[in-house]
Amino acid sequence: MVIHSVPQPDQPVERSAREWVKILAQYREPTTARSAFELAVTVVPFVALWALAWWSMSISLWLTLAISMLNALFLVRLFTIQHDCGHGAFFQSREVSDWLGRALGVLTLTPYDVWRRTHAIHHSAAGNLDKRGIGDVYTMTVAEYQAAHPLRRLQYRMVRHPLTMFGLGPFYLFFLQNRVPLGLMNSRKYWLSAMATNLVLVGVLGGIYYFGGLAPLLLIFLPTTLIAATAGVWLFYVQHQFENTHYDQHEAWDLHEAALKGSSYYRLPAVLQWFSANIGIHHVHHLYSRIPFYRLPEVLKDHGELAENNQMSVRESLASARLHLWDEKTRRLLSFREVKAIYG
């Protein structure tokens, strides 16, 4: 005799990732007025702080630098709005979203069409061990690392070192790599995106130099952009690089399961959550990327069980910086030291 257990009323039913996708579909529609408001309260302060920083150069260069550092937070938010545009989640009109994304791409040093394509690849392959290398933080498995040539191991350790990942990495990614459509080099469309962004950027920076010389470039543009880039790299890193993240070989990999289990809920203080435009609610975003960022807290409010999934505080996230290798046996992301202790 087969007995089927019936969930009790006080016992929450655990939903599958695919079931969550159907539930989240109701949150997908952006509101034009709300999107315009969110854009305005980000762009206006960003431009105002740029002007204030320029004006402050006649008073104190340290004050200029401080204002520029503050403005990096608004640039992070502009990048997240650009991110929503790339998913078609900011305005109902895809064309309007795309042109806004292209404009913001000049401020964020990110060719919009190139980034949109590589980011789409990231969403379609996150956690798939057979499709690593584009739009992700490349992660080796323990077996791959152990089988690699010593020089390959050294190279990987150098790239994954925090000083490289969060020091040199942001500068390389935004100031150098983004100047060409890396990974999409054979496409005229993506070369056009990269070169058009570069051309407009040269014009903007040339105008700043013409009217202000090197000072505003070194004291406003460079620190604002570099700090924002570093914050962006860190956010992207902790959203997928944590101990109990999710990887599978292609035959066992599932898009929705990888989205739910391989993305974190980065629980930030309210002010940082605002400046990062809720991107820390990343597991919900990966499950349904068409949800506008300003509706993600609404999802957690309505479905509290999602707030318990892969939750990570700022303090807890710091430990993620030392995790580097995916162990397929224990299904955990491990540090080099842990791998050595376990496997020798």
Side-chain angles (χ1 to χ4, degrees), residues 223-239:
T224 296
T225 308
L226 194 53
I227 292 172
T230 303
V233 169
W234 171 255
L235 286 169
F236 185 77
Y237 182 89
V238 298
Q239 285 159 2

Side-chain angles (χ1 to χ4, degrees), residues 36-113:
F37 170 79
E38 297 292 349
L39 179 62
V41 297
T42 311
V43 170
V44 172
F46 177 77
V47 174
L49 285 173
W50 239 99
L52 182 62
W54 195 310
W55 171 82
S56 72
M57 288 191 296
S58 61
I59 300 176
S60 169
L61 298 183
W62 288 109
L63 177 59
T64 303
L65 186 60
I67 296 172
S68 301
M69 294 171 66
L70 172 62
N71 210 14
L73 294 172
F74 285 97
L75 188 56
V76 169
R77 201 168 199 268
L78 286 174
F79 185 91
T80 312
I81 290 175
Q82 177 187 336
H83 168 265
D84 263 24
C85 290
H87 286 292
F90 199 65
F91 287 118
Q92 292 185 355
S93 167
R94 187 66 196 237
E95 185 176 3
V96 172
S97 291
D98 285 344
W99 280 107
L100 173 61
R102 293 183 183 110
L104 294 178
V106 176
L107 300 178
T108 63
L109 309 190
T110 306
Y112 173 76
D113 292 288

Side-chain angles (χ1 to χ4, degrees), residues 2-242:
V2 178
I3 300 176
H4 298 280
S5 61
V6 178
Q8 297 301 313
D10 60 341
Q11 295 178 334
V13 178
E14 184 175 348
R15 296 184 173 93
S16 70
R18 290 181 180 273
E19 289 175 318
W20 277 119
V21 170
K22 296 177 181 178
I23 294 170
L24 296 178
Q26 63 182 300
Y27 299 91
R28 64 174 286 173
E29 294 300 328
T31 304
T32 301
R34 176 67 184 273
S35 294
F37 170 79
E38 297 292 349
L39 179 62
V41 297
T42 311
V43 170
V44 172
F46 177 77
V47 174
L49 285 173
W50 239 99
L52 182 62
W54 195 310
W55 171 82
S56 72
M57 288 191 296
S58 61
I59 300 176
S60 169
L61 298 183
W62 288 109
L63 177 59
T64 303
L65 186 60
I67 296 172
S68 301
M69 294 171 66
L70 172 62
N71 210 14
L73 294 172
F74 285 97
L75 188 56
V76 169
R77 201 168 199 268
L78 286 174
F79 185 91
T80 312
I81 290 175
Q82 177 187 336
H83 168 265
D84 263 24
C85 290
H87 286 292
F90 199 65
F91 287 118
Q92 292 185 355
S93 167
R94 187 66 196 237
E95 185 176 3
V96 172
S97 291
D98 285 344
W99 280 107
L100 173 61
R102 293 183 183 110
L104 294 178
V106 176
L107 300 178
T108 63
L109 309 190
T110 306
Y112 173 76
D113 292 288
V114 177
W115 174 86
R116 185 179 66 175
R117 177 57 183 154
T118 58
H119 192 66
I121 293 172
H122 161 67
H123 268 260
S124 66
N128 189 327
L129 290 172
D130 295 313
K131 295 186 178 181
R132 288 166 288 171
I134 296 182
D136 61 355
V137 178
Y138 183 76
T139 304
M140 293 181 74
T141 67
V142 172
E144 289 170 340
Y145 180 78
Q146 290 178 322
H149 188 278
L151 288 179
R152 175 70 180 107
R153 293 190 193 184
L154 178 61
Q155 178 192 39
Y156 184 73
R157 292 179 75 105
M158 291 176 64
V159 169
R160 296 286 300 210
H161 194 282
L163 289 179
T164 305
M165 186 72 67
F166 310 113
L168 299 176
F171 179 86
Y172 168 77
L173 175 61
F174 285 90
F175 286 81
L176 299 178
Q177 180 178 308
N178 279 354
R179 307 285 58 83
V180 296
L182 200 64
L184 303 168
M185 302 289 276
N186 295 326
S187 172
R188 180 181 300 178
K189 173 183 177 180
Y190 300 120
W191 273 104
L192 178 61
S193 173
M195 294 306 108
T197 302
N198 292 344
L199 185 62
V200 176
L201 183 59
V202 167
V204 171
L205 297 181
I208 293 172
Y209 178 77
Y210 179 81
F211 289 106
L214 280 176
L217 293 176
L218 296 177
L219 294 173
I220 306 175
F221 166 75
L222 189 61
T224 296
T225 308
L226 194 53
I227 292 172
T230 303
V233 169
W234 171 255
L235 286 169
F236 185 77
Y237 182 89
V238 298
Q239 285 159 2
H240 298 285
Q241 300 282 309
F242 53 95

Side-chain angles (χ1 to χ4, degrees), residues 283-295:
H283 59 318
V284 176
H285 165 69
H286 257 260
L287 268 175
Y288 211 102
S289 60
R290 290 291 302 275
I291 299 176
F293 75 82
Y294 48 80
R295 298 200 68 181

Side-chain angles (χ1 to χ4, degrees), residues 239-242 244-246 257-264 310:
Q239 285 159 2
H240 298 285
Q241 300 282 309
F242 53 95
N244 296 314
T245 189
H246 187 85
E257 288 294 324
L260 180 62
K261 297 178 181 178
S263 307
S264 66
N310 290 338

